């Protein structure tokens, strides 16, 4: 099968086209014939080496954390799906940049009327957006919410989910004026530039922060009493913060975290629950993923380079075997 992978960490230029044997689903797994693979910041980190050196067969890793496609085969013990079913799947161990990928059945979600294209970037991005809002930040109806990286794949989904779950005000930050204009389509009350939000907002119940560094520090000061800053990424690639704890006591603040990989290992039913709730919103039309670029699998490196530059908006898909 055609796949894209790497055998040494580096910038996305290390990715190359490969001809690999199709994987075989083991117990509790599903083989998916991939139609679309979502492009995610986590895959950039995988290639760069943030998660360690390649550990796959023959020293080659195939990135790709989310796909849509059709079930091609079932591993032993899987009876909840059938060959030919259209599905979206979250792949905790990667492998989505390929014509065939193996997914845990628990993270393989039947599509109920949603097209393979609309679902191609959903299984990681929507589950993360829902999980960080509901699981980590404990969003409640009536909350005010600030979302950093507001125009991106996860951020644009989080804005719509927050609104659907009853947030009364949803603000965003982005890196440029063009992105602010773009992000308005997701229902934000206001979208600020990332370097100029701190004196425009206050008393926030929830802040979603996948950026880190200075943005994270400035966000802490904006929390309402019992406000929650949910950390779930480090896109700015700035040094980690070292924070004293007493101000959390003295200012009634909370810092919380979300990591889907850790949850997949330690609380897989929670991941599935968040995913099914998010997919229900997608199916109902309450939320949508905005596909802004669709590139062939062989150009996966270019897609990751664009994400690394911080210039992308919405969701990029790799068209693997689109149908
Ligand atoms: N914890 C988890 O389980 C989990 C799961 C999925 C995703 N994530 C995180 O969620 C975030 C969003 O992921 P995504 O795939 O949807 O990506 P994305 O938001 O579509 O793209 C990343 C965005 O990060 C922002 N950014 C801020 N500083 C940056 C810098 N120095 N270089 C590049 N980008 C920078 C950029 O938006 P602006 O310039 O507009 O700010 C950029 O567009 C990532 O941080 C990712 O690691 C975490």
């Amino acid at each position: 099968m055609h796949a894209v992978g790497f055998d040494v960490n580096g910038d996305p230029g290390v990715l190359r086209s490969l001809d690999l044997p199709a994987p075989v689903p083991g117990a509790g797994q599903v083989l998916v014939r991939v139609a679309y693979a979502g492009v995610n910041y986590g895959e950039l980190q995988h290639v760069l080496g943030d998660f360690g050196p390649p550990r796959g067969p023959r020293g080659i890793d195939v990135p790709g954390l989310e796909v849509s496609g059709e079930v091609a085969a079932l591993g032993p013990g899987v009876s909840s799906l059938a060959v030919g079913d259209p599905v979206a799947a979250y792949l905790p161990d990667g492998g989505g940049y390929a014509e065939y990928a193996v997914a845990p059945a628990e993270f393989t979600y039947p599509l109920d009327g949603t097209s393979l294209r609309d679902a191609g970037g959903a299984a990681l991005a929507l589950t993360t957006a829902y999980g960080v809002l509901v699981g980590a930040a404990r969003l409640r109806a009536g909350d005010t919410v600030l979302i950093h990286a507001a125009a991106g794949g996860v951020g644009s989904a989080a804005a719509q989910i927050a609104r659907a779950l009853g947030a009364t005000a949803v603000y965003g930050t982005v890196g440029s004026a063009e992105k602010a204009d773009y992000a308005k389509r997701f229902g934000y009350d206001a979208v600020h530039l990332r370097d100029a939000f701190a004196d425009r907002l206050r008393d926030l119940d929830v802040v979603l922060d996948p950026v880190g560094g200075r943005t994270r520090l400035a966000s802490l000061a904006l929390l309402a009493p019992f406000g929650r800053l949910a950390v779930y990424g480090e896109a700015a690639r700035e040094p980690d913060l070292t924070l004293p704890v007493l101000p959390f006591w003295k200012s009634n603040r909370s810092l919380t975290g979300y990591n889907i990989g850790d949850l997949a290992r330690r609380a897989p039913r929670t991941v599935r629950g968040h995913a099914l709730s998010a997919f229900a919103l997608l199916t109902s039309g309450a939320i949508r993923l905005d596909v802004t670029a669709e590139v062939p699998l062989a150009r996966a490196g270019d897609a990751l380079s664009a994400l690394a530059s911080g210039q992308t908006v919405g969701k990029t898909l790799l068209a693997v075997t689109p149908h």
Side-chain angles (χ1 to χ4, degrees), residues 180-203:
D181 276 347
Y182 167 81
K184 285 175 189 155
R185 71 192 64 191
F186 300 112
Y188 288 100
D189 292 278
V191 182
H192 302 286
L193 292 181
R194 197 171 57 241
D195 294 334
F197 68 96
D199 51 2
R200 292 181 164 81
L201 295 166
R202 52 183 293 192
D203 287 340

Side-chain angles (χ1 to χ4, degrees), residues 252-273:
N252 291 291
R253 294 175 187 155
S254 294
L255 188 61
T256 179
Y258 177 89
N259 186 288
I260 195 171
D262 176 63
L263 277 182
R265 286 185 293 277
R266 297 197 298 136
R269 270 192 277 180
T270 300
V271 173
R272 184 173 176 83

Side-chain angles (χ1 to χ4, degrees), residues 4-17 44 47-48 298 300-306 308:
V4 168
F6 61 101
D7 55 13
V8 59
N9 293 122
D11 66 34
V14 300
L15 285 170
R16 56 195 174 92
S17 284
L44 174 66
V47 176
L48 289 171
D302 294 341
L304 281 187
S305 293

Side-chain angles (χ1 to χ4, degrees), residues 40-41 45 128 152-154 174-175 179 194 210 232 235-236 258-260 308:
N40 295 284
Y41 201 85
Q45 292 185 286
T128 298
V154 175
V174 291
K179 284 185 168 191
R194 197 171 57 241
Y232 70 106
Y258 177 89
N259 186 288
I260 195 171

Side-chain angles (χ1 to χ4, degrees), residues 22 44 68 76 93 112 114 120-121 147 159 162 190 193 210 216 219 221 224 260 313-315 317:
L44 174 66
S68 64
D93 298 321
D112 183 12
T114 302
I147 297 172
L193 292 181
R216 185 158 298 161
S219 300
I260 195 171
V313 293
K315 196 76 200 178
L317 294 182

Side-chain angles (χ1 to χ4, degrees), residues 104-227:
E106 194 156 26
F107 304 143
T108 304
Y109 312 111
L111 295 178
D112 183 12
T114 302
S115 71
L116 292 174
R117 188 172 187 272
D118 287 344
L124 176 73
L126 289 190
T127 308
T128 298
Y130 195 96
V132 70
L133 279 166
V134 172
R138 310 286 165 128
L139 180 79
R140 291 176 301 218
D143 279 352
T144 54
V145 179
L146 170 63
I147 297 172
H148 294 302
V154 175
S156 60
Q160 300 169 76
I161 293 171
R163 192 72 81 186
L165 298 182
T168 48
V170 184
Y171 307 107
T173 77
V174 291
S176 68
E178 295 75 25
K179 284 185 168 191
D181 276 347
Y182 167 81
K184 285 175 189 155
R185 71 192 64 191
F186 300 112
Y188 288 100
D189 292 278
V191 182
H192 302 286
L193 292 181
R194 197 171 57 241
D195 294 334
F197 68 96
D199 51 2
R200 292 181 164 81
L201 295 166
R202 52 183 293 192
D203 287 340
L204 298 163
D205 298 303
V206 167
V207 180
L208 301 193
D209 177 22
V211 173
R214 284 162 288 172
T215 300
R216 185 158 298 161
L217 193 59
S219 300
L220 266 178
L222 305 180
L223 292 175
F226 302 135

